[in-house]
Amino acid sequence: METDVAIALDLGGTQVRAALVRDGRVLARAAARTDLGGPEAVMRQFRALVAGIAPAGTPPPGAVGMCAPGPLDTVSGIVDHIPTLPGWDGFALRDHLSDTFGLPAVVENDGIAAAFGEWTHGAGRDLHHLVYVTVSTGIGGGVVVDGRLMHGARGMGGHVGHFTLAAEGPVCSCGRIGCFEAFAAGTAFGRRARAAADRDPASHLGRIAARETVEARHAVEGARAGDPACLALVAEEAAYLGSGFASLLHLYSPQMIVMGGGVSKAFDLLEPGIRARIERDAMPPFRAVPVRPAALADDAGLVGVAALARAATARTPRPPSRGS
Ligand SMILES: [Zn+2]
C-alpha cells in the first residue's frame, strides 16, 4: 500500500529509537536502551517499539528506514563492522528490516541520514550544496553536492570526522591519530575541561571536579557565567571546529555548513571563535560561507531516513524479494 508515512529507526550504541514520520514531521516516537544481546534481540526491540507507537487514525506506513553508526555498507545492506555494536558483523540488516515489517526498507549511515533530514526539512532547505556536521561524542555528518546526497562507493562517503586535522595529536575513536573528531568532538572538549580542572583545583571547574566528573557542558555553563578559564576552553573548542570546517569548505564548497549534535547547544558561544578561525584558515573565496545551527536537533536522522525510505519506495513500490 502506498502511504506517505514511514517508520524511522535509529540504531545507536546506547539507545534505539523508533518513530512514525510523515513529511518531515515526527507523529509518534519511542526509545529504549540498546539490547546488547545482538541483532536478533534488537530487531525484537524495534518491533515492540513500533507496535507501541501507532496513533489512532494514522495511515499504515509504506516504508521503513534505519540509520546506524558507520561505516555502514548501504549498497549491500549488510553490516560489515560497527565498533559500538559488537555481534552485528555480517548481519543482513536491510533484508531483516524488510522481513520484520513487511515493507520496503533502506539502511543509511546516521550522519548521511541526518544531513538528508536537515537538507529536506531543516536548516539547509532550498540549498544545492551543504555540509552537515554533528558534533557530540564523536563527529559525523554528510554532504549534499550539486543537489544530490553524496554516498560514495558502498555508501560510506562523507565521514567528516575522520580527516586528519594534524599529523600528531590525540588518538581518535577510530584508532587513528589526529582526526578532526579527536580534537573537536565533545569527548575531546570534556577531556580538556578535566585537564583544566586538574591544573587548578580552586577554579570553577576544579570545584566541580571535587564532586563529579567534569564534562564539556560544565565548561559551557562556566563560560556562560563568565568564568575566564571556561571561556578559554570554549575558544579552544571553537578554534578546532573552525579549522575543521575550513577544510570542509575547501573540499566541498558548500553554500552552508550546518552544525548539529550536543556541542551545538553552545553554538551561540562557539560561533565567534569558529568564524575567526575560518577567517584565518579558509582561502578568501570560502570565508563568507555561513555556519548555522541545525534545525531538527536529535530528530535529523529519523526525519532523514524516513524521507529516504519514502523516496526509495517511490522508485520500488514493492518489498524486495529475498534471495533474488
Ligand atoms: Zn578518526
Side-chain angles (χ1 to χ4, degrees):
M1 178 188 292
E2 184 80 2
T3 87
D4 55 357
V5 176
I7 298 170
L9 307 173
D10 179 12
L11 169 62
T14 55
Q15 205 184 33
V16 288
R17 298 191 298 155
L20 289 178
V21 180
R22 176 159 56 190
D23 195 25
R25 211 160 53 84
V26 174
L27 304 175
R29 68 176 78 227
R33 180 164 280 279
T34 306
D35 189 324
L36 296 176
E40 305 287 352
V42 170
M43 295 305 279
R44 277 195 298 277
Q45 274 192 300
F46 276 124
R47 217 167 31 232
L49 288 175
V50 170
I53 58 169
T58 307
V64 56
M66 180 188 283
C67 57
L72 181 66
D73 185 334
T74 55
V75 175
S76 71
I78 298 170
V79 176
D80 181 5
H81 177 68
I82 301 176
T84 50
L85 289 166
W88 285 69
D89 296 11
F91 186 69
L93 182 56
R94 187 172 52 221
D95 285 349
H96 274 87
L97 265 185
S98 190
D99 285 355
T100 298
F101 293 99
L103 294 169
V106 301
V107 293
E108 187 54 271
N109 284 275
D110 50 12
I112 295 178
F116 195 70
E118 286 290 338
W119 180 40
T120 53
H121 295 94
R125 268 175 300 181
D126 305 323
L127 300 181
H128 280 82
H129 315 278
L130 167 75
V131 174
Y132 170 78
V133 185
T134 175
V135 186
S136 55
T137 309
I139 292 183
V143 179
V144 172
V145 279
D146 303 328
R148 297 175 57 143
L149 187 62
M150 190 189 87
H151 277 101
R154 303 172 69 197
M156 303 188 301
H159 274 85
V160 298
H162 301 280
F163 65 85
T164 304
L165 196 65
E168 302 297 334
V171 177
C172 185
S173 68
C174 73
R176 300 178 340 113
I177 300 281
C179 288
F180 178 33
E181 170 176 310
F183 283 99
T187 309
F189 188 5
R191 194 174 56 237
R192 288 190 293 272
R194 282 190 289 283
D198 289 347
R199 281 195 302 273
D200 188 356
S203 66
H204 173 76
L205 290 178
R207 292 194 302 275
I208 291 171
R211 57 173 199 267
E212 62 184 304
T213 303
V214 169
E215 305 285 357
R217 66 185 168 84
H218 294 114
V220 170
E221 287 160 12
R224 289 201 189 284
D227 177 72
C230 292
L231 285 165
L233 286 164
V234 167
E236 189 179 16
E237 172 67 12
Y240 286 130
L241 288 171
S243 282
F245 290 174
S247 287
L248 295 173
L249 294 175
H250 295 155
L251 283 168
Y252 301 112
S253 193
Q255 294 161 286
M256 180 187 288
I257 289 177
V258 175
M259 178 178 161
V263 175
S264 72
K265 292 186 178 122
F267 185 82
D268 59 318
L269 288 177
L270 294 163
E271 187 183 20
I274 291 172
R275 279 258 63 95
R277 189 49 70 102
I278 287 175
E279 284 291 323
R280 194 198 81 168
D281 286 0
M283 292 188 279
F286 296 93
R287 290 178 190 164
V289 176
V291 180
R292 296 272 187 267
L296 301 178
D298 292 343
D299 285 345
L302 291 171
V303 166
V305 85
L308 286 164
R310 285 285 305 123
T313 314
R315 288 195 300 273
T316 49
R318 296 162 67 85
S321 58
R322 292 290 305 278
S324 60

